[in-house]
Amino acid sequence: MEKKNLDWGSLGFAYTRTDLRYVSNYKNGAWDEGCLTDQADITMSECACVLQYAQTCFEGLKAYTTEDGRIVCFRPDLNAQRMADSCRRLRMPVFPEDRFVDAVIQTVRANAQWVPPYGSGATLYIRPFMFGSDAIIGVKPATEYQFRVFATPVGPYFKGGFKALRVRISDLDRAAPRGTGHVKAGLNYAMSLYNIMDAHDQGYDENVYVDSATRTHIEETGGANIIFLKGNKLVTPNSPTILPSITRRSLVQVAQEYLGMEVEERPVALEEIGEFDECGLCGTAAVISPVGIIDDHGKEIRYAGMGEGIRKLYDTLTGIQMGRIPAPEGWIQVIA
Ligand SMILES: *Cc1c(COP(=O)(O)O)cnc(C)c1O
C-alpha cells in the first residue's frame, strides 16, 4: 500500500484532514447503521444541545505500524467502555461497545495510507466523539445525537529527546467531589483552558490538580494521570474524581507483571510527594512524560526526569505496543 507523502518525523500534534471518517446518527431512540463519509464538516441547528449546554464527550487512542508491519491499535475495548460510562453520566445514548471498536477499525482501515510507518515515531491519532445535535433550549438532554470517529496523523511526542516537565500545583480546581472528573466530557476541558494558558504564561508546562474537597491530595493534570516512583515501587493516586487513564492502568500491570515492581494505588498526600524519586504524567499522547519539577507555591520538589524507573516503564509499554515485546492477551487489536 502506498503511504501518503508526508514528512512523518516533523508532524506536530495538529489536525490534518484525512480521507474518510465514520458517522452514525441517533434518532427516534435508535442508532442508524453508520457509514464512512468524506464529509469532514458538520451542519446542525444553531440551538444544538452541544452548542448550548456542552453535551459532548470524546475518546482518544492511536493506531500505528508495528515492527513486523501490521497496523494495530491499543486496547480500543477500554475506550469503548469508558465512552459508554461518559455517555451514561451525560445522559447520552451509549454507542454499543462492539460497534465502537468496529467503527475505529473501519476508520483506520479507510485511512491506512495515513498510518505512519514503523520507526517514524509518528502515529495515527483517532478521535471518537459524540454530541447532542438537535435543538434544545430548555435544559434537558438532546433527543438526537451523532457519533463520529475521525483520524489524523500526529508527530512523535518527544522530538529531540525527553524534556522533563516543570509543573505547578494549581489553585483552581478541575473536578468537584461528585462531579464529572471521572468521565471524558468536553466540559472538563473547556473549564481547564483558562488555567492551562495561565500556567504557560507563568512558565509551567501543566497544572497538577489536588482534590477540591480538602486540597490535601494529588489528583492528576488537565489531561494526564500521575505516577510516582520510589525504588522498586510505583505509587499512583486513586480517587473517584480522576479520569481512569488506560495508559496508567496498563503501566500498573506492566510494573507488576513485566518489571516485578510493587504497586500502590492509593490516595497520595501533597505532603509526601517530596519522598518520591521520579514522577511522570501518563496518557495516550506521550505514554509517559517525565516530570522534573513540581512547584508547590514556590517550594520546588525535584525529580530525576527520565530516570531509570520511568525509562523502564516507558520502554516496556512502548515495546509491547510496537510488537517488540509479547503483549498480554487482548491488548493489541490488529487492524490490517
Ligand atoms: C484522556 C485523559 C487522560 C489519559 O487517558 P488515556 O486513556 O491514558 O489516554 C488522563 N486524564 C484526563 C483528564 C483525560 O481526559
Side-chain angles (χ1 to χ4, degrees):
M1 179 224 353
E2 191 81 14
K3 291 283 179 190
K4 296 282 173 183
N5 185 22
L6 296 182
D7 182 4
W8 305 103
S10 64
L11 287 173
F13 197 83
Y15 174 76
T16 303
R17 181 182 165 156
T18 52
D19 298 328
L20 292 164
R21 66 278 302 130
Y22 179 91
V23 176
S24 178
N25 290 300
Y26 181 90
K27 196 172 175 169
N28 300 324
W31 290 105
D32 68 13
E33 63 187 16
C35 65
L36 293 168
T37 169
D38 63 1
Q39 295 293 307
D41 297 326
I42 299 170
T43 302
M44 64 184 149
S45 167
E46 62 188 352
C47 197
C49 196
V50 60
L51 299 179
Q52 302 308 321
Y53 303 124
Q55 196 186 18
T56 180
C57 61
F58 66 97
E59 276 300 325
L61 67 162
K62 296 192 293 199
Y64 42 88
T65 308
T66 57
E67 190 170 28
D68 62 358
R70 293 171 305 163
I71 295 175
V72 306
C73 66
F74 186 68
R75 309 187 79 179
D77 53 318
L78 296 189
N79 295 94
Q81 260 176 33
R82 192 168 64 186
M83 186 152 187
D85 290 339
S86 299
C87 287
R88 283 186 279 264
R89 180 63 179 79
L90 298 172
R91 279 283 169 160
M92 301 167 80
V94 168
F95 193 72
E97 291 177 31
D98 55 335
R99 288 194 62 193
F100 176 106
V101 173
D102 179 59
V104 167
I105 292 171
Q106 283 193 45
T107 306
V108 175
R109 276 198 191 131
N111 295 292
Q113 292 185 306
W114 296 93
V115 181
Y118 176 76
S120 65
T123 56
L124 187 72
Y125 184 75
I126 305 158
R127 170 52 61 86
F129 63 112
M130 191 192 296
F131 55 93
S133 55
D134 59 324
I136 296 292
I137 191 76
V139 178
K140 61 177 190 230
T143 64
E144 295 177 11
Y145 293 85
Q146 183 166 107
F147 171 78
R148 188 176 266 258
V149 184
F150 67 76
T152 185
V154 296
Y157 198 86
F158 298 107
K159 283 182 193 160
F162 295 92
K163 179 183 151 273
L165 303 179
R166 175 168 181 260
V167 301
R168 69 173 181 187
I169 301 292
S170 171
D171 286 327
L172 296 182
D173 292 330
R174 169 182 177 274
R178 282 157 292 274
T180 55
H182 61 302
V183 298
K184 222 167 167 72
L187 61 92
N188 291 338
Y189 281 77
M191 61 73 139
S192 75
L193 298 177
Y194 173 86
N195 205 28
I196 190 65
M197 295 313 285
D198 186 61
H200 291 166
D201 288 345
Q202 312 287 329
Y204 300 98
D205 296 299
E206 272 292 349
N207 290 300
V208 173
Y209 292 97
V210 293
D211 75 290
S212 55
T214 70
R215 305 197 61 79
T216 56
H217 287 79
I218 297 287
E219 297 252 294
E220 62 170 323
T221 65
N225 284 182
I226 301 186
I227 56 171
F228 293 99
L229 299 180
K230 182 165 179 63
N232 197 38
K233 187 162 74 184
L234 184 160
V235 179
T236 187
N238 71 348
S239 152
T241 47
I242 69 179
L243 194 282
S245 157
I246 294 164
T247 313
R248 186 252 304 160
R249 287 182 273 164
S250 303
L251 286 169
V252 160
Q253 207 173 322
V254 164
Q256 287 169 321
E257 294 174 13
Y258 286 71
L259 302 175
M261 296 172 72
E262 191 187 331
V263 172
E264 292 177 2
E265 297 180 83
R266 58 165 174 83
V268 175
L270 189 48
E271 277 190 342
E272 66 176 302
I273 61 173
E275 292 163 21
F276 298 115
D277 306 323
E278 297 175 55
C279 174
L281 307 183
C282 48
T284 293
V287 182
I288 313 180
S289 305
V291 171
I293 295 173
I294 298 181
D295 187 326
D296 181 8
H297 301 90
K299 187 174 115 199
E300 286 196 343
I301 300 142
R302 290 179 180 271
Y303 300 99
M306 198 62 171
E308 199 189 326
I310 296 219
R311 160 67 68 184
K312 268 198 301 198
L313 284 163
Y314 179 87
D315 286 348
T316 310
L317 184 53
T318 54
I320 289 169
Q321 291 180 330
M322 291 297 164
R324 297 185 295 260
I325 297 174
E329 180 75 31
W331 278 24
I332 304 297
Q333 169 76 57
V334 178
I335 292 177

